[in-house]
Structure formats: structure tokens, C-alpha cells
Amino acid sequence: MVFTATEYPPTECLCVERVIAAYTIVLLDMLDPTECVVTAVFLSVNTAGEGVGVVQENCRGYKEYMPNLVGIDIEVENDNIWCVGIATDEYRYATKDWRSAVLELQTAGAVPVGHNFKYDNSYFVREGMEWTDWEDSILKAHMLGFHPLGLKALTPIFTGVTLNEYGDVVGRGKKAVPMDSIAPKVLDYCSLDAWAAYQCNKRFVLPPALQQLYEDEKHITRILMDMEAGGL
């Protein structure tokens, strides 16, 4: 049976999740849609049969709650940032002029969304362009019990889009080619990863009971980054 929001009173919010077990669960949250961004909670089932997960699909309030979110991804070559990918619902692109792009976003007060953003931010820190606040879809996925945690695994489940593997773009091992030689492919790959992180983050809605723990995890991430930067 397929449900649509118009079949229910306007105070109800329809939430749909594609589940890792390869079938769909449709559940209805009875909360005001303007609030569901922080309170829409329902259970899914993982492959072990355990109840897990909190996901929101197209509920009103997401952009009102965090209007400055932007998906971010970087590609690295020879231990240096080669490009940055940037994405929202409205656009996605990547550029090798990543310093100018990041400075513009930081000046505008954007909040980056990354998948394992600790990795990306470690490079920004090294370049003197640290982000002090961010959202991380891999942390949320972990807290919600989703497995596997990789962006390539989660994205087709929650968006229907299949991402290319890194090795399929640049090659593997000795067959890897310089990014400059396939720049359009690398830029598209990077921007799509940024879009995927943004979309997954939008769908991973933490219940209030987990929100503070999530903030604590981000704080610990900052401490770990400082320790690693200090050589520990």
C-alpha cells in the first residue's frame, strides 16, 4: 500500500525509509511536520532483525532548522587537497580553487556536512581553514545503528543513487592516473560525494535522547584532531 501525505491530516508527517534488508517500511509519525526535523522517530529493521534507526524523508523544517548546511567533500593527491566538492538540494559542483570556495562558505556562515568530516577537516586545519562546527553523516549513521557505514553503501539505500568507487575513477594501485589527467571525472565524483553526504545527513534524524551524545561525539572528534595534529 502506498501512502501520500494528502491522505492524512496536515499535522501528520509521512516518513519513508529504504531499509538495508532490501525492502521498504512505511510508517507514519503523528507529530507536527514543523517539529519532525528533531522529533520524527520510528524503527526500522536491520539484517539481524534488530530494531534500529531514525529517518526523515522530505519533512518540512529541515532547512528552517539548519538553513546554512552545505555538503562538503575533498579529494586528496600527494597528501594535498586537490579539489573540494560542494552541494545542497539546489546545486552541486567541485573546484580546484578550493581555497576561494571554502573561504566564501566560511564567510557566509555555512555549516559543512561531511561523511567522516574529521578526515576532511584535518586537511583544512593544516591549511589554516578549520571548520569549528559541522555535521557528520557517518556519526549519525553509527548512532542510529546502520551498517555498513560507508557512504557508497548508504547512499543507494537512502537516495536511490549509486556512487562510483574511488578506484573506478582514478584507477587502483600502479594503474592510478594523475587527477589532472581526468579532471572532469574527479570533479564530478567529488561533487557527487558531497551531495550524497548532504542527502544522507538530511535523512538521519536523531531523537532528542541521542542529540546531546552526538554533540559530545563531535567534541571528542575535535580533541582527537588536536592530538593527531600534535603528533600523537
Side-chain angles (χ1 to χ4, degrees):
M1 180 175 182
V2 177
F3 298 99
T4 62
T6 56
E7 293 173 333
Y8 298 93
T11 56
E12 298 178 347
C13 174
L14 185 67
C15 297
V16 182
E17 178 191 0
R18 296 188 182 203
V19 183
I20 291 183
Y23 55 86
T24 301
I25 292 178
V26 182
L27 293 176
L28 194 64
D29 186 281
M30 304 298 292
L31 302 172
D32 189 312
T34 60
E35 298 298 325
C36 71
V37 67
V38 290
T39 56
V41 179
F42 64 92
L43 291 177
S44 68
V45 179
N46 64 13
T47 53
E50 301 165 333
V52 298
V54 182
V55 178
Q56 162 214 329
E57 180 73 22
N58 295 328
C59 292
R60 252 175 54 207
Y62 178 75
K63 288 186 178 179
E64 297 167 2
Y65 176 56
M66 285 188 164
N68 296 323
L69 288 180
V70 58
I72 294 285
D73 183 61
I74 63 171
E75 298 306 323
V76 173
E77 187 174 56
N78 298 322
D79 203 32
N80 292 304
I81 298 176
W82 187 85
C83 73
V84 63
I86 300 167
T88 67
D89 283 325
E90 287 75 31
Y91 62 84
R92 70 175 175 93
Y93 71 96
T95 176
K96 292 182 64 179
D97 186 15
W98 63 268
R99 291 179 184 275
S100 297
V102 169
L103 180 60
E104 181 179 354
L105 289 173
Q106 291 181 337
T107 301
V111 177
V113 176
H115 197 76
N116 189 25
F117 193 69
K118 172 177 170 289
Y119 169 80
D120 305 70
N121 208 19
S122 66
Y123 282 90
F124 292 130
V125 169
R126 194 175 68 181
E127 298 291 340
M129 305 187 76
E130 177 182 5
W131 297 87
T132 57
D133 190 21
W134 65 85
E135 294 294 308
D136 198 324
S137 52
I138 199 170
L139 278 181
K140 290 183 178 179
H142 173 69
M143 296 181 72
L144 294 172
F146 298 138
H147 294 283
L149 294 174
L151 189 63
K152 303 299 189 290
L154 292 169
T155 300
I157 294 168
F158 291 99
T159 73
V161 175
T162 299
L163 302 176
N164 288 327
E165 295 289 342
Y166 178 81
D168 293 335
V169 177
V170 303
R172 294 177 173 83
K174 294 182 179 180
K175 294 184 178 181
V177 299
M179 290 185 177
D180 281 333
S181 69
I182 52 168
K185 290 184 178 180
V186 178
L187 292 171
D188 183 66
Y189 170 85
C190 184
S191 70
L192 192 55
D193 272 9
W195 175 87
Y198 179 87
Q199 295 299 328
C200 284
N201 183 73
K202 183 165 68 171
R203 288 159 171 78
F204 299 163
V205 180
L206 298 175
L210 289 179
Q211 189 62 44
Q212 185 55 54
L213 179 59
Y214 170 68
E215 295 300 327
D216 291 342
E217 288 287 343
K218 289 198 295 182
H219 178 69
I220 293 172
T221 298
R222 295 186 186 96
I223 295 174
L224 292 174
M225 285 174 53
D226 291 341
M227 292 173 63
E228 290 173 0
L232 296 178

